Amino acid sequence: MYNATYHPLEGDNLKNILDNASEEEKKVIMEQVNAATAIKTRNYRITIVPPDERGRGGTWYNVENGIVTGSCREE
């Protein structure tokens, strides 16, 4: 059954991302999270460093209704 309740990325889910981020990355993350939350976007990607032209690498987090469902953090 489909659950129509919207859940923003917050609490421990957001804290886990921010704990591993630099100060500059935290700013980028919070800008994107706040923008998605403002318009109640359920599914989005937080992109810190985009993947290469083949879709590999980068630093990003996929968010589905407030839960991180995938990520990549390539230094």
Side-chain angles (χ1 to χ4, degrees):
M1 182 173 164
Y2 178 74
N3 185 345
T5 304
Y6 168 75
H7 299 283
L9 178 62
E10 61 186 5
D12 286 339
N13 292 337
L14 179 56
K15 183 182 178 305
N16 289 339
I17 293 174
L18 295 175
D19 283 348
N20 296 314
S22 69
E23 289 304 313
E24 187 61 34
E25 290 173 339
K26 287 178 184 179
K27 290 177 188 175
V28 172
I29 292 166
M30 288 312 302
E31 286 174 2
Q32 293 181 42
V33 169
N34 289 336
T37 301
I39 58 173
K40 295 188 175 184
T41 303
R42 286 176 177 265
N43 303 324
Y44 57 97
R45 176 177 277 188
I46 299 168
T47 303
I48 300 166
V49 177
D52 67 16
E53 60 279 346
R54 288 188 260 160
R56 298 179 186 165
T59 302
W60 49 264
Y61 300 89
N62 286 340
V63 178
E64 292 184 19
N65 205 19
I67 298 173
V68 177
T69 59
S71 66
C72 180
R73 183 165 183 91
E74 202 167 276
E75 304 290 327

